[in-house]
Amino acid sequence: MADLVLCEPIELYNILNQVTKVSRLAETNYLCLLDVRSKREYDESHVITARRVKKKANEYLIPESVDLECVKYCVVYDNKTSSLEVFLKRHDDNSDDDSDTRGGVLGQALGAAIECGRALAHLTHHPIHILKGGYEGFSATYHFFRTQKIIWMPQELDEFQPYPVEIVPGRIYLGNFRQACDPKIQKDLKIKAHVNVSMETGPFFVGDSDKLLHIQIEDSLQANIFPFLRHLCHFIEVHLGIGSVILIFSTLGISRSCAATLAYLMHQNEQTLKRSWAYVKKCKNNMRPNRALVAQLSRWEKIVLGDSVTDISDPLY
């Protein structure tokens, strides 16, 4: 039986915005997002790509086309479940006697998402994620991911345009040049400052250059980001200090902007390249700074921590 884990809203947001050549939502076995609210609530609005789970005689019925055993992420949400504590305590207390865990009374005590997650856990070996704060919490923060659309055609998912991933909740995002040029994304995420780590230029904050840091380096093994790292961290700190939301981006949002983000996290949290790498990789699955940038980040680690701690000869880097 799979475990139940609490999924923070930022985690679901980042899951929804992963990309390979196209949005990962187009992959049939990538995400199964299940809504256990009433039909009326679901029809009014739900999270994009979510499917409604029906309940009949205390049994949750997932859509027939869903094979949970093959799905990487299964996320279940109700209106506002915020904790797994009651479930975990009850699960421990009844580890040898599961006779009362299917009824409606327990479902009301636990929350519909937890009750549903537990009922489906035997169908997969992957953890089942329970969305913290439920639909109310997620839609309050990410209102632009609400929809009434029920059926998504494969072509629509192929053409779905992801948002930048979220690195620091509500403060720092990581994306690509196209996203930086999209006025809707700027408005939805309340972006007020940009760090452009590419050769491209754009009409960003014309006449207000103090809100744009442009680090002009090529996407190549000759790229030298190291001389800019102190200024980069200072720029971000200043804008966070005045309440700005920042987008760090490069052409594809895979190499140079990821290196800049790693450098800032290492500096801000006084942590190793390895730890920062693991965190950004979790936020953005396809990040891959080139080897020259990784070597420069190793030098930066020595400045931040006083020593080179991370072994960058590991194939992981």
Side-chain angles (χ1 to χ4, degrees):
M1 177 181 289
D3 294 328
L4 265 61
V5 297
L6 206 59
C7 177
E8 296 288 340
I10 184 178
E11 293 181 71
L12 176 56
Y13 169 86
N14 284 339
I15 288 171
L16 289 167
N17 288 298
Q18 296 303 312
V19 179
T20 50
K21 290 184 178 179
V22 296
S23 167
R24 294 205 64 185
L25 295 180
E27 300 174 23
T28 56
N29 294 328
Y30 173 65
L31 171 65
C32 177
L33 187 54
L34 300 176
D35 186 320
V36 297
R37 299 175 304 147
S38 70
K39 183 178 186 303
R40 177 187 61 79
E41 291 169 320
Y42 178 82
D43 288 345
E44 283 181 356
S45 70
H46 50 267
V47 182
I48 58 169
T49 75
R51 304 187 188 193
R52 181 171 174 264
V53 178
K54 298 177 182 179
K55 186 177 182 182
K56 186 176 182 180
N58 289 328
E59 182 180 0
Y60 287 95
L61 307 174
I62 62 173
E64 291 183 2
S65 59
V66 174
D67 182 0
L68 286 184
E69 188 174 1
C70 300
V71 171
K72 181 173 183 178
Y73 295 108
C74 176
V75 182
V76 185
Y77 68 84
D78 52 20
N79 269 319
K80 54 184 177 182
T81 292
S82 60
S83 172
L84 293 180
E85 287 183 16
V86 176
F87 161 72
L88 293 173
K89 182 178 185 303
R90 196 63 174 265
H91 180 64
D92 290 340
D93 292 346
N94 294 285
S95 57
D96 297 322
D97 180 8
D98 204 32
S99 60
D100 68 338
T101 60
R102 304 292 180 181
V105 174
L106 181 59
Q108 292 173 17
L110 294 181
I114 295 175
E115 185 191 32
C116 177
R118 190 172 186 191
L120 301 179
H122 69 284
L123 298 175
T124 177
H125 298 294
H126 297 291
I128 290 185
H129 296 73
I130 307 299
L131 180 60
K132 183 177 181 180
Y135 181 75
E136 290 185 9
F138 186 83
S139 63
T141 303
Y142 307 108
H143 59 89
F144 42 89
F145 277 154
R146 294 184 298 201
T147 186
Q148 292 180 322
K149 187 177 181 62
I150 296 174
I151 298 174
W152 292 78
M153 302 303 291
Q155 183 179 352
E156 292 177 304
L157 294 174
D158 284 342
E159 296 172 353
F160 176 79
Q161 296 297 326
Y163 278 59
V165 297
E166 193 167 5
I167 302 297
V168 177
R171 306 305 303 277
I172 298 177
Y173 294 85
L174 169 60
N176 58 40
F177 192 82
R178 185 202 64 77
Q179 292 165 338
C181 296
D182 189 323
K184 184 177 188 304
I185 288 177
Q186 310 307 300
K187 180 180 179 181
D188 287 344
L189 299 182
K190 300 180 173 63
I191 303 295
K192 296 298 182 184
H194 290 81
V195 177
N196 178 6
V197 195
S198 72
M199 297 302 292
E200 288 92 340
T201 59
F204 306 112
F205 301 105
V206 175
D208 202 0
S209 59
D210 61 322
K211 293 184 179 179
L212 169 66
L213 173 61
H214 192 180
I215 300 174
Q216 289 185 294
I217 57 174
E218 296 277 359
D219 184 15
S220 71
L221 294 177
Q222 285 69 51
N224 189 11
I225 197 173
F226 189 82
F228 301 99
L229 295 184
R230 287 190 184 279
H231 184 42
L232 164 76
C233 293
H234 177 70
F235 177 89
I236 293 174
E237 287 174 340
V238 166
H239 283 279
L240 290 179
I242 61 176
S244 296
V245 179
I246 303 165
L247 173 61
I248 304 172
F249 68 94
S250 53
T251 306
L252 299 178
I254 293 173
S255 180
R256 291 166 290 177
S257 56
C258 290
T261 303
L262 288 163
Y264 171 73
L265 292 176
M266 292 162 65
H267 163 79
Q268 178 61 26
N269 301 323
E270 296 183 351
Q271 66 187 23
T272 63
L273 170 57
K274 182 177 182 178
R275 186 172 180 180
S276 300
W277 186 285
Y279 178 77
V280 177
K281 184 74 172 178
K282 182 180 179 182
C283 296
K284 186 173 181 62
N285 299 160
N286 68 336
M287 81 154 196
R288 51 177 187 274
N290 69 47
R291 296 292 299 178
L293 294 176
V294 173
Q296 292 169 61
L297 289 173
S298 181
R299 290 171 57 197
W300 181 241
E301 181 182 62
K302 188 171 184 178
I303 290 177
V304 171
L305 301 179
D307 194 12
S308 293
V309 179
T310 303
D311 179 10
I312 62 170
S313 66
D314 189 318
L316 175 65
Y317 304 100

